Amino acid sequence: MLKRILLAAVVTTFAIGSAFAQESCESKAVGKDGKALSGAAKTSFMKKCTTESCEAKAVGSDGKKLAGAAKTSFMKKCQSGA
């Protein structure tokens, strides 16, 4: 019973963490002057931010980093938010 509760807590933590990670890219899109980025600068920043956050998650079930077609597929799915 305790293992199930612990597993549910871990899964919930990861789900909440990924939701905040998506928000954090939006909230980090601020220029040096403290104003929100817009246009091409914001687009470029958001692409870089989502790529970096997805790169960290691109790990296989064995704990090793994904490579090749598996990584490409994962990155495409992660960046689209699906």
Side-chain angles (χ1 to χ4, degrees):
M1 183 69 165
L2 183 60
K3 287 182 182 180
R4 287 184 183 176
I5 293 172
L6 184 60
L7 179 63
V10 170
V11 169
T12 304
T13 302
F14 284 122
I16 291 172
S18 65
F20 282 122
Q22 291 175 351
E23 270 187 73
S24 68
C25 284
E26 187 73 35
S27 63
K28 289 180 185 177
V30 180
K32 292 181 182 178
D33 58 356
K35 295 181 182 178
L37 295 176
S38 62
K42 183 176 181 180
T43 304
S44 174
F45 177 83
M46 292 297 289
K47 182 174 180 171
K48 180 181 174 190
C49 184
T50 55
T51 300
E52 288 175 354
S53 68
C54 288
E55 283 274 341
K57 298 176 194 172
V59 221
S61 59
D62 57 356
K64 295 180 181 178
K65 290 186 176 184
L66 294 176
K71 183 176 180 180
T72 303
S73 174
F74 177 83
M75 293 296 288
K76 206 178 270 189
K77 184 177 178 182
C78 180
Q79 288 175 342
S80 71

